[in-house]
Amino acid sequence: MNQQAYSARGITESIVAFAQFARGHGLNIGLTETQEALRAADLGLLGDKNRFRFALKSLFCHSPEECNLYDWLFTLYWDTNPTDLRDRKNETRLQGMVEKKANATLVMLGQGKSEAAEEDAKTVTGANEAERLKKADLAKISEIDAAALEKIAEKLFREMAVRLRRRMKQDRRQGQINLRRTIRRSIAFGGEPLDLLRKSRTPKRQRLVVLLDVSGSMDKYSFFLLRFICALKENFRQMDAFVFSTSLVRISRALQLRRLDLVLDVISRQAGDWSGGTRIGLCLQEFRERYGKQVLNGSPVVLVMSDGLDTGDPMVLEQQLSAIRSRCKKLIWLNPLKGMQGYQPIAKGMKTALPLVNDFRSAHNLESILELENILEDA
Amino acid sequence: MPVSTVQDSSALLFNTIEDIRHILDERSYVADEDFSAALFLLLKLGKPLLVEGPPGVGKTEIALTLAQILDTKLIRLQCYEGLDVNAAVYEWNYQKQLLGIKLQEGTAFTVEEKEKHVFGSEYLLKRPLLQSIMEEDRAPVLLIDELDRADEEFEAFLLELLSAFQVTIPELGTVKAKHRPYVILTSNRTRELSDALKRRCLYHWIDYPGLDKEMLIVRKRLPGIGQGLLEQVVHVVQQFRERKLAKVPGVSETIDWAESLMALGYREINQQAFDSSLGSILKSAEDIQLVRSEGLDAFKQTA
């Protein structure tokens, strides 16, 4: 692959090579685009470099971010003087293009295990193993149990996704009369509309926004909650997910590609900031400013999963939450600590948040996580 | 049915990007060179053009202007949540069909003949997309506005139309475009459009204009405006955009504001003018409060 225009032989070749070059750097360019670029060159756009550049820009780019990248690539490819640059190996790597193999260890699992805690969990004697695990507090599960629980969770989450989907398809009896179908059918009866066919109301897909706290204090919970989010993604196609601790990261794209390892990688890279504590308010602010316009559209259901142990200013949290509240249909807060006996929402952050949320629930064991299904169903 | 999708003669008038820029300028539309290049390719390659950008920067306007330039019809489809194929492509006129069936009751037609009659073209209601490809005389401009508001399903349907420019109606057969419409899609980016759709389109991102360009635009639109007022208005609006506002004013708001100031008879922005006309530029109570608390002077200063 040619890195610069000067190394190509003719103009056609250099345009083709430029397309390849741009593709290699992350622009989504196929054969069609390359062909059209050649056609554009044919239209007499070659005379002026800027015109040529703008023309190719509208062909090659599909978002403002890509436009910036393109400008850089264009200069790099067409404007590089041979003496400035020897043919180097393709060293320019773009962030996010790197294929990270799953070297991300599960950061949240198996940390701070204690014997006492394990026993605590075992005292929940129940019918069988699975039942026991479903009720066990996620933070108090041993490593051996964790593997078993993961399996159970996966199965249950999958079932849930199927159930949610199925429920959305029911409800055929009501709705407006579908004249199109009715008339089509009536022809068989010589034009008498005997069968009244109805329009099933197309289920409006509720949009869902999930904000998951992955700070140290959420530790083991966040791993299962992340699984849960993955399962939700199956059903809610219009779902956006974010993780936050000291800063906010959008993980929707990774979830869409079913790359849990990518998500874990992101989280583990953030893990270094754990000592800084969670700044929920600031993260929510970042969320609103960067993604709010795009994500908080069409009154979604917003799901915040956090223990509410906020080290930031509660004023900011209150402000941000009420702003989010005003733009969503329902604000649900899941707090794993709520499952603890005698828990009172007296933590500074939680106390501020409580009056603003529509629903405040626990999420400390599998059962309580699965209960969410009922809320989301009629959401 | 002839299946030619040749370019219209009017489109062939523009041989260079400069021509386009020039004629847009005549029609009071200020376009950068890169935007002119995108439009040039839209006309020459016949590819749809996807225009993205914040609200009020002239995305819809370009379709109107283009239709004027090409002296052709503008067919507009406004997208909204729940927009379906029946509202966008075609629908049968059911009431008329029922009537038609009743009228035929006494006749000796067979069931097949009756069916054929009832599903004839006189019972067909053409919606914008079908209209755009059934145009007889010349290629129309098809504006698909705010596509990001429509559902993903609709977007998927558009893919078919935008690549083949044909629509299949089960009862009538396939309708293929005689003249390929010039398609302009706009989006505010409230959600990301699918990659598949984007790949079928040329892309252009319009951002808020800089000071000089915005002044040029306002002057084009409001030729009667005084230089002093123009400078002040545009400068203050540019300052507004720097702030964290809930609703950032677009160029159309700038024009509105300048127009209302002119209508109120002000020749410069003073405190009174500011207070009485703020509603035409800022559209949210919080924003107005924020701007009021900072005071007019904070925005008037030249940095």
Side-chain angles (χ1 to χ4, degrees):
Chain A
M1 185 169 79
N2 288 315
Q3 292 300 302
Q4 276 80 40
Y6 65 82
S7 48
R9 250 163 291 155
I11 188 66
T12 310
E13 192 180 317
S14 40
I15 291 173
V16 172
F18 175 58
Q20 283 173 349
F21 176 70
R23 185 186 318 143
H25 284 78
L27 290 183
N28 191 4
I29 299 166
L31 275 180
T32 356
E33 280 82 0
T34 315
Q35 260 175 7
E36 275 157 353
L38 289 172
R39 274 180 70 194
D42 215 29
L43 287 169
L45 291 173
L46 276 172
D48 183 306
K49 191 175 74 192
N50 261 339
R51 275 181 211 161
F52 181 59
R53 165 177 169 166
F54 293 141
L56 288 201
K57 190 180 194 170
S58 64
L59 282 167
F60 284 3
C61 301
H62 300 105
S63 70
E65 293 79 26
E66 283 184 359
C67 288
N68 289 337
L69 175 62
Y70 169 86
D71 283 338
W72 181 69
L73 290 175
F74 190 91
T75 318
L76 194 67
Y77 183 86
W78 297 97
D79 286 359
T80 312
N81 197 324
T83 49
D84 292 349
L85 251 173
R86 291 273 135 249
D87 255 336
R88 273 190 289 158
K89 275 245 147 45
N90 179 7
E91 280 178 309
T92 28
R93 273 229 195 95
L94 288 159
Q95 213 194 352
M97 301 303 302
V98 200
E99 271 294 293
K100 263 265 154 53
K101 200 59 218 138
N103 59 354
T105 41
L106 309 184
V107 275
M108 308 79 132
L109 260 183
Q111 282 188 353
K113 175 187 81 136
S114 74
E115 288 301 315
E118 193 179 325
E119 244 152 59
D120 206 14
K122 281 217 166 111
T123 49
V124 192
T125 44
N128 59 28
E129 184 77 358
E131 282 305 309
R132 175 179 74 80
L133 283 175
K134 267 164 82 175
K135 287 199 168 64
D137 193 313
L138 296 176
K140 295 174 180 167
I141 282 173
S142 72
E143 261 173 86
I144 310 151
D145 281 353
L149 187 62
E150 214 188 302
K151 253 185 219 149
I152 300 172
E154 201 180 312
K155 182 167 158 275
L156 289 174
F157 288 156
R158 204 168 42 228
E159 284 171 9
M160 178 197 73
V162 171
R163 269 200 304 276
L164 276 173
R165 251 196 315 256
R166 199 184 300 144
R167 283 203 197 113
M168 289 195 146
K169 280 190 190 149
Q170 279 173 7
D171 195 26
R172 285 269 155 109
R173 289 273 132 217
Q174 287 135 19
Q176 277 184 303
I177 289 176
N178 185 343
L179 270 174
R180 183 192 180 91
R181 291 249 169 83
T182 307
I183 288 180
R184 205 85 181 79
R185 179 71 64 89
S186 75
I187 286 180
F189 307 115
E192 219 52 65
L194 287 184
D195 285 343
L196 290 183
L197 296 162
R198 288 168 194 280
K199 264 184 206 160
S200 74
R201 219 154 26 100
T202 25
K204 205 178 141 204
R205 272 203 204 83
Q206 182 60 50
R207 297 186 58 171
L208 185 67
V209 180
V210 186
L211 294 151
L212 172 66
D213 184 348
V214 291
S215 62
S217 53
M218 286 286 286
D219 194 16
K220 293 169 185 175
Y221 298 112
S222 45
F223 177 72
F224 281 97
L225 290 174
L226 200 57
R227 280 293 159 93
F228 179 67
I229 293 173
C230 284
L232 285 180
K233 177 78 193 165
E234 300 266 297
N235 184 62
F236 289 84
R237 274 204 297 156
Q238 294 201 359
M239 181 177 107
D240 269 294
F242 301 83
V243 293
F244 66 92
S245 56
T246 46
S247 60
L248 183 91
V249 181
R250 189 181 196 172
I251 56 169
S252 314
R253 187 82 188 151
L255 284 181
Q256 197 183 342
L257 302 170
R258 302 192 188 211
R259 294 290 298 271
L260 200 59
D261 53 327
L262 278 183
V263 181
L264 290 173
D265 186 47
V266 168
I267 298 170
S268 70
R269 245 183 286 152
Q270 275 209 334
D273 325 327
W274 280 3
S275 50
T278 332
R279 292 176 304 176
I280 307 178
L282 285 178
C283 286
L284 290 183
Q285 187 172 2
E286 197 188 336
F287 163 71
R288 267 194 55 230
E289 276 164 17
R290 276 184 62 191
Y291 305 104
K293 286 236 164 69
Q294 210 169 345
V295 169
L296 287 177
N297 250 304
S299 52
V301 172
V302 178
L303 202 59
V304 183
M305 304 177 172
S306 166
D307 50 17
L309 300 178
D310 186 15
T311 55
D313 185 356
M315 274 296 288
V316 181
L317 178 65
E318 186 178 358
Q319 216 177 5
Q320 296 306 320
L321 264 185
S322 58
I324 293 176
R325 174 74 196 91
S326 67
R327 293 197 58 195
C328 69
K329 184 177 170 193
K330 217 175 196 183
L331 182 61
I332 304 172
W333 191 297
L334 293 186
N335 189 338
L337 298 182
K338 200 189 171 198
M340 270 180 3
Q341 262 187 3
Y343 170 77
Q344 291 286 325
I346 44 171
K348 203 170 44 171
M350 204 59 244
K351 215 159 111 187
T352 348
L354 212 51
L356 292 168
V357 300
N358 298 99
D359 208 338
F360 180 55
R361 302 196 144 242
S362 68
H364 64 294
N365 58 20
L366 262 193
E367 239 179 24
S368 59
I369 297 179
L370 284 167
E371 266 173 33
L372 257 186
E373 177 187 346
N374 297 322
I375 314 177
L376 294 176
E377 181 202 336
D378 47 45
Chain B
M1 199 182 287
V3 203
S4 70
T5 47
V6 277
Q7 300 289 322
D8 280 300
S9 52
S10 51
L12 294 172
L13 287 175
F14 311 109
N15 280 320
T16 64
I17 293 174
E18 274 312 305
D19 289 350
I20 294 202
R21 225 181 146 179
H22 184 68
I23 195 143
L24 281 175
D25 201 56
E26 271 175 14
R27 304 275 170 167
S28 313
Y29 192 96
V30 181
D32 291 332
E33 198 173 351
D34 55 345
F35 193 30
S36 316
L39 286 169
F40 179 73
L41 289 181
L42 161 78
L43 295 176
K44 292 290 172 188
L45 298 183
K47 250 188 137 183
L49 173 64
L50 169 64
V51 187
E52 284 193 327
V57 290
K59 297 189 296 296
T60 307
E61 197 63 32
I62 188 58
L64 305 175
T65 314
L66 194 67
Q68 277 178 16
I69 291 174
L70 298 175
D71 189 22
T72 181
K73 221 193 238 175
L74 174 76
I75 298 172
R76 177 174 180 165
L77 175 68
Q78 171 70 47
C79 295
Y80 52 86
E81 215 177 310
L83 173 71
D84 59 356
V85 172
N86 286 343
V89 189
Y90 73 96
E91 178 122 74
W92 292 103
N93 190 343
Y94 305 117
Q95 280 77 7
K96 202 173 169 192
Q97 276 182 324
L98 277 176
L99 213 61
I101 293 168
K102 283 280 162 211
L103 286 174
Q104 287 175 340
E105 250 168 20
T107 58
F109 291 129
T110 63
V111 175
E112 284 76 25
E113 280 167 338
K114 279 181 186 167
E115 181 174 346
K116 199 151 188 237
H117 176 74
V118 166
F119 288 108
S121 55
E122 59 187 294
Y123 293 91
L124 188 69
L125 294 174
K126 292 178 210 161
R127 304 286 193 219
L129 292 184
L130 185 63
Q131 248 177 49
S132 75
I133 65 169
M134 282 178 103
E135 205 57 45
E136 291 288 331
D137 304 330
R138 58 195 338 185
V141 172
L142 171 64
L143 168 65
I144 301 176
D145 215 2
E146 301 187 330
L147 180 60
D148 48 341
R149 290 194 188 196
D151 307 311
E152 284 165 55
E153 289 83 353
F154 181 70
E155 212 179 290
F157 168 80
L158 266 188
L159 286 182
E160 190 198 333
L161 185 88
L162 292 184
S163 51
F165 289 97
Q166 61 177 37
V167 166
T168 303
I169 304 171
E171 295 88 353
L172 281 183
T174 302
V175 183
K176 199 166 162 78
K178 255 191 204 172
H179 304 279
R180 206 174 212 198
Y182 302 107
V183 186
I184 293 184
L185 305 109
T186 74
S187 155
N188 284 331
R189 240 186 163 212
T190 56
R191 79 181 164 84
E192 205 65 59
L193 300 177
S194 75
D195 285 347
L197 183 90
K198 282 181 165 184
R199 289 200 60 178
R200 277 169 178 76
C201 301
L202 299 161
Y203 179 84
H204 185 76
W205 170 263
I206 306 188
D207 216 332
Y208 294 117
L211 188 71
D212 294 338
K213 191 182 165 194
E214 189 161 15
M215 276 174 42
L216 201 62
I217 297 171
V218 178
R219 178 175 293 288
K220 283 264 175 208
R221 284 309 164 94
L222 305 169
I225 194 169
Q227 182 66 21
L229 183 62
L230 173 70
E231 271 171 26
Q232 277 187 339
V233 166
V234 175
H235 178 74
V236 173
V237 172
Q238 296 261 340
Q239 293 290 311
F240 282 164
R241 293 202 190 113
E242 306 269 303
R243 307 293 195 277
K244 278 182 185 165
L245 297 179
K247 299 247 182 307
V248 183
V251 184
S252 49
E253 273 94 353
T254 316
I255 297 171
D256 283 351
W257 195 30
E259 207 171 6
S260 27
L261 284 169
M262 281 164 74
L264 291 169
Y266 292 106
R267 313 208 63 184
E268 58 156 11
I269 304 180
N270 51 33
Q271 195 60 48
Q272 200 195 350
F274 193 66
D275 286 340
S276 58
S277 63
L278 212 51
S280 59
I281 179 88
L282 297 174
K283 306 291 167 70
S284 129
E286 290 85 37
D287 290 350
I288 292 182
Q289 208 179 355
L290 184 99
V291 165
R292 283 239 165 93
S293 70
E294 271 194 66
L296 171 62
D297 293 335
F299 298 100
K300 266 175 118 173
Q301 285 158 11
T302 29

